[in-house]
Amino acid sequence: MKFILPSVTACSSRVGYITDIRRLPGLVLETPQLLLYTKGGSIPHLTYEVLQMVSKEQHALHIPISTVAHCHEAVVAFGKGIADFIGLKEYLTFCSIHDPAAVTPHGFNERDTVSIWSRTGRKQLDPDKYMDMIEAFQPDMYQSLCDGDTNPTSSKKRVQKSINRSIAFLEKCLERHEKSEVLKESAILGAVEGGYSIEGREDSAKYLANSSVFGYVIDGLHSNGPDVEQLTIEDVKPVLEASLKHLPNDKFRVLQGCWNPETVLSMVELGMDAFDSSYVYTVTERGGALIFQNSIKNLDIPSTKDGSNLKPDTSIYAQSSYEIPEKKKRITDDKQVTSVVEEDKSVESETQGPIVESPEDTKSQTTSLNRKYEISLADKKYAEDFTPLSRSCSCLTCKKHTRAYIHHLLQTRELLGPVLLTIHNLHYYMEFFKGIREALKSNTLDSLRKCVSEEKDTS
């Protein structure tokens, strides 16, 4: 596998290509790339056939080990790897450790092990157990085992432990990787740790710069979960720059988490190459539909049958009854085991789609909703709104269905509700990444940023 960059510049945006994938000859993935988030080995709410309706293009899958750990023995018995096991063998697979859409409890990693939280509870992985899983899953790319249990409030001592343990884990993973026959065509990515310590980031990056890895995962910026979308580029830019400036410019870089679209653009500008689509999942789970301006070309909205021009979908801002929170929500260490218990309780409801009541009942669910990027179909004002989710979107949901119908599906907890929302949100976010690549090629990234960030007053 190769990662090719036509031009290489430190801490700057770039368009690249992942090619020469032995398992998938002929496949070329262009970066910045959207890694399709999976849960339990499948894209939430979508079958393979529906996924083909969303996009027939080949993509990379993001498979968190914590969501598929329970099927390890079955995959071992199957013997053909995780891609064949889940029926998505034409997709490139990338395995990470934690689920970016679920809060990772703080304080459970130990000197020789990292804790993951699967559907059956807590599992402790040392490098050997972790590499046993990786050899069974045979991913095309995977993240080395690491201790990324840091966030903006982590102490200096916790940060240093994170760095030291991650280096030790990487050395053991590399040793197994180099000896493994089944992983000889797989690429291993090292994790850059250091929390929010500039010095820690530099130390971790300098060590990894000399290691024989395919690329890097910039880790330890958050504890995963929906709160990540509240972080801004101002929060993470200093530590990202400290990490990237010491890494080789020609290697692949991944950043995981539910980052909001504006922050993604800023991180692309700093030189990140891949992001997962867990943001799409979190928006869907709270009954949201993405409506932000996802590309420059969509500024030209088609006319109606009567010849009148339609305004961009940002016109729905005037309809929204939700208010943007006055203070930015920050990630803290107080979300521990209780978050896991709450997640376990929601396992059954996840199969039924979002639990949506009246807007008053779902107030806590929508406090993180940013009306710049999405609308909440749980709001009763959409009960008689017979327009598509987005007039500029060409997905199946927007072509066939209305906001009123999806509002009805969510209110009645029909399984089709989250299916139609996922079709729209995933397609919309895929188009956003196409827009990013086009903007980089045409040197119009600043224009795209203005489109994404602009909130028009149409009242």
Side-chain angles (χ1 to χ4, degrees), residues 288-291 313 316 375 377 387-391 393 395 397-398 401-403 406 420-421 424-425:
L290 295 175
I291 49 83
D313 282 272
I316 54 86
I375 56 174
L377 273 301
T387 61
L389 298 179
S390 170
R391 295 186 181 102
C393 183
C395 77
T397 302
C398 290
H401 303 291
T402 65
R403 296 175 178 180
I406 297 174
L420 292 179
L421 279 178
H424 167 74
N425 288 333

Short mmCIF file of all heavy atoms in Angstrom, two decimals, residues 288-291 313 316 375 377 387-391 393 395 397-398 401-403 406 420-421 424-425:
data_model
loop_
_atom_site.label_atom_id
_atom_site.label_comp_id
_atom_site.label_asym_id
_atom_site.label_seq_id
_atom_site.Cartn_x
_atom_site.Cartn_y
_atom_site.Cartn_z
N GLY A 288 -31.63 14.45 13.66
CA GLY A 288 -31.22 15.63 12.90
C GLY A 288 -30.99 15.32 11.43
O GLY A 288 -30.72 14.18 11.04
N ALA A 289 -31.09 16.36 10.60
CA ALA A 289 -30.80 16.27 9.17
C ALA A 289 -29.82 17.38 8.81
O ALA A 289 -30.06 18.55 9.12
CB ALA A 289 -32.07 16.40 8.35
N LEU A 290 -28.73 17.04 8.16
CA LEU A 290 -27.72 18.04 7.78
C LEU A 290 -28.24 18.92 6.66
O LEU A 290 -28.83 18.44 5.69
CB LEU A 290 -26.44 17.33 7.33
CG LEU A 290 -25.72 16.52 8.42
CD1 LEU A 290 -24.54 15.76 7.82
CD2 LEU A 290 -25.25 17.42 9.55
N ILE A 291 -28.03 20.22 6.80
CA ILE A 291 -28.51 21.17 5.79
C ILE A 291 -27.50 22.27 5.49
O ILE A 291 -27.80 23.19 4.73
CB ILE A 291 -29.85 21.81 6.23
CG1 ILE A 291 -29.80 22.34 7.67
CG2 ILE A 291 -31.00 20.80 6.12
CD1 ILE A 291 -29.20 23.69 7.85
N ASP A 313 -31.06 26.25 1.55
CA ASP A 313 -31.78 25.62 2.65
C ASP A 313 -31.52 26.26 4.00
O ASP A 313 -32.11 25.91 5.00
CB ASP A 313 -31.42 24.13 2.73
CG ASP A 313 -32.18 23.36 1.67
OD1 ASP A 313 -33.30 22.95 1.97
OD2 ASP A 313 -31.64 23.22 0.57
N ILE A 316 -34.22 27.66 6.60
CA ILE A 316 -34.91 27.02 7.71
C ILE A 316 -34.45 27.58 9.05
O ILE A 316 -35.06 27.33 10.07
CB ILE A 316 -34.70 25.49 7.68
CG1 ILE A 316 -33.21 25.14 7.62
CG2 ILE A 316 -35.47 24.85 6.60
CD1 ILE A 316 -32.55 25.07 8.93
N ILE A 375 -31.09 20.54 11.09
CA ILE A 375 -32.41 20.80 11.64
C ILE A 375 -32.84 19.56 12.41
O ILE A 375 -32.40 18.44 12.11
CB ILE A 375 -33.44 21.12 10.54
CG1 ILE A 375 -33.50 19.98 9.50
CG2 ILE A 375 -33.13 22.45 9.88
CD1 ILE A 375 -34.60 20.15 8.47
N LEU A 377 -35.69 17.06 13.12
CA LEU A 377 -36.99 16.59 12.62
C LEU A 377 -37.91 16.18 13.75
O LEU A 377 -39.07 15.83 13.51
CB LEU A 377 -36.78 15.43 11.66
CG LEU A 377 -36.52 15.78 10.18
CD1 LEU A 377 -37.68 16.58 9.61
CD2 LEU A 377 -35.23 16.55 10.00
N THR A 387 -41.68 19.95 2.27
CA THR A 387 -40.48 20.17 1.45
C THR A 387 -39.45 19.08 1.75
O THR A 387 -39.51 18.44 2.80
CB THR A 387 -39.86 21.55 1.74
OG1 THR A 387 -39.47 21.60 3.13
CG2 THR A 387 -40.85 22.67 1.46
N PRO A 388 -38.48 18.87 0.86
CA PRO A 388 -37.42 17.89 1.14
C PRO A 388 -36.50 18.38 2.25
O PRO A 388 -36.53 19.56 2.60
CB PRO A 388 -36.69 17.78 -0.20
CG PRO A 388 -36.94 19.08 -0.89
CD PRO A 388 -38.33 19.48 -0.48
N LEU A 389 -35.71 17.49 2.79
CA LEU A 389 -34.76 17.89 3.83
C LEU A 389 -33.84 18.99 3.33
O LEU A 389 -33.55 19.96 4.03
CB LEU A 389 -33.92 16.69 4.28
CG LEU A 389 -34.68 15.53 4.91
CD1 LEU A 389 -33.72 14.40 5.28
CD2 LEU A 389 -35.44 15.99 6.14
N SER A 390 -33.35 18.82 2.09
CA SER A 390 -32.50 19.84 1.47
C SER A 390 -32.83 19.90 -0.01
O SER A 390 -32.80 18.88 -0.71
CB SER A 390 -31.02 19.49 1.66
OG SER A 390 -30.20 20.34 0.87
N ARG A 391 -33.11 21.08 -0.50
CA ARG A 391 -33.47 21.23 -1.92
C ARG A 391 -32.27 21.01 -2.83
O ARG A 391 -32.43 20.73 -4.02
CB ARG A 391 -34.07 22.62 -2.17
CG ARG A 391 -35.40 22.85 -1.47
CD ARG A 391 -36.01 24.19 -1.89
NE ARG A 391 -37.27 24.44 -1.22
CZ ARG A 391 -37.43 25.25 -0.19
NH1 ARG A 391 -36.37 25.89 0.31
NH2 ARG A 391 -38.61 25.43 0.36
N CYS A 393 -29.99 18.67 -2.36
CA CYS A 393 -29.49 17.31 -2.18
C CYS A 393 -30.16 16.35 -3.17
O CYS A 393 -31.37 16.43 -3.41
CB CYS A 393 -29.74 16.84 -0.75
SG CYS A 393 -29.09 15.19 -0.39
N CYS A 395 -30.01 12.93 -2.84
CA CYS A 395 -30.14 11.60 -2.25
C CYS A 395 -31.56 11.07 -2.39
O CYS A 395 -32.50 11.82 -2.67
CB CYS A 395 -29.72 11.61 -0.78
SG CYS A 395 -30.95 12.31 0.34
N THR A 397 -33.64 10.04 -0.14
CA THR A 397 -34.56 10.61 0.86
C THR A 397 -35.12 11.93 0.39
O THR A 397 -36.33 12.18 0.47
CB THR A 397 -33.84 10.79 2.21
OG1 THR A 397 -33.34 9.52 2.64
CG2 THR A 397 -34.79 11.34 3.25
N CYS A 398 -34.25 12.81 -0.12
CA CYS A 398 -34.70 14.14 -0.55
C CYS A 398 -35.50 14.09 -1.84
O CYS A 398 -36.36 14.95 -2.09
CB CYS A 398 -33.50 15.06 -0.70
SG CYS A 398 -32.72 15.51 0.88
N HIS A 401 -39.07 11.88 -0.31
CA HIS A 401 -39.79 12.09 0.94
C HIS A 401 -39.69 13.53 1.45
O HIS A 401 -38.85 14.30 1.00
CB HIS A 401 -39.27 11.12 2.01
CG HIS A 401 -39.35 9.69 1.60
ND1 HIS A 401 -40.55 9.03 1.46
CD2 HIS A 401 -38.39 8.79 1.29
CE1 HIS A 401 -40.33 7.78 1.07
NE2 HIS A 401 -39.02 7.61 0.97
N THR A 402 -40.56 13.83 2.38
CA THR A 402 -40.64 15.18 2.92
C THR A 402 -40.25 15.22 4.39
O THR A 402 -40.17 14.18 5.06
CB THR A 402 -42.08 15.73 2.81
OG1 THR A 402 -42.95 14.94 3.65
CG2 THR A 402 -42.58 15.68 1.37
N ARG A 403 -40.03 16.41 4.88
CA ARG A 403 -39.72 16.60 6.30
C ARG A 403 -40.89 16.11 7.17
O ARG A 403 -40.69 15.52 8.22
CB ARG A 403 -39.44 18.07 6.59
CG ARG A 403 -38.21 18.62 5.89
CD ARG A 403 -38.05 20.11 6.10
NE ARG A 403 -36.84 20.61 5.46
CZ ARG A 403 -36.44 21.87 5.49
NH1 ARG A 403 -37.20 22.78 6.11
NH2 ARG A 403 -35.33 22.24 4.91
N ILE A 406 -40.79 12.24 7.54
CA ILE A 406 -39.73 11.77 8.45
C ILE A 406 -40.05 12.15 9.89
O ILE A 406 -39.79 11.37 10.81
CB ILE A 406 -38.36 12.31 8.00
CG1 ILE A 406 -38.03 11.77 6.61
CG2 ILE A 406 -37.27 11.95 9.01
CD1 ILE A 406 -36.79 12.32 5.99
N LEU A 420 -33.90 6.56 6.61
CA LEU A 420 -33.97 7.67 5.66
C LEU A 420 -33.06 8.82 6.08
O LEU A 420 -32.44 9.46 5.22
CB LEU A 420 -35.41 8.16 5.55
CG LEU A 420 -36.40 7.19 4.88
CD1 LEU A 420 -37.80 7.80 4.85
CD2 LEU A 420 -35.94 6.84 3.47
N LEU A 421 -32.94 9.07 7.37
CA LEU A 421 -32.03 10.12 7.83
C LEU A 421 -30.58 9.75 7.55
O LEU A 421 -29.78 10.61 7.16
CB LEU A 421 -32.23 10.37 9.33
CG LEU A 421 -33.40 11.25 9.73
CD1 LEU A 421 -33.49 11.37 11.25
CD2 LEU A 421 -33.26 12.65 9.11
N HIS A 424 -29.73 10.27 3.89
CA HIS A 424 -29.49 11.69 3.59
C HIS A 424 -28.19 12.19 4.21
O HIS A 424 -27.35 12.78 3.51
CB HIS A 424 -30.66 12.54 4.09
CG HIS A 424 -30.32 14.01 4.10
ND1 HIS A 424 -30.25 14.77 2.96
CD2 HIS A 424 -29.99 14.85 5.14
CE1 HIS A 424 -29.92 16.01 3.26
NE2 HIS A 424 -29.75 16.08 4.58
N ASN A 425 -28.02 11.98 5.49
CA ASN A 425 -26.86 12.55 6.19
C ASN A 425 -25.54 12.01 5.67
O ASN A 425 -24.57 12.75 5.52
CB ASN A 425 -26.98 12.30 7.70
CG ASN A 425 -28.06 13.14 8.34
OD1 ASN A 425 -28.40 14.22 7.86
ND2 ASN A 425 -28.63 12.66 9.43
#
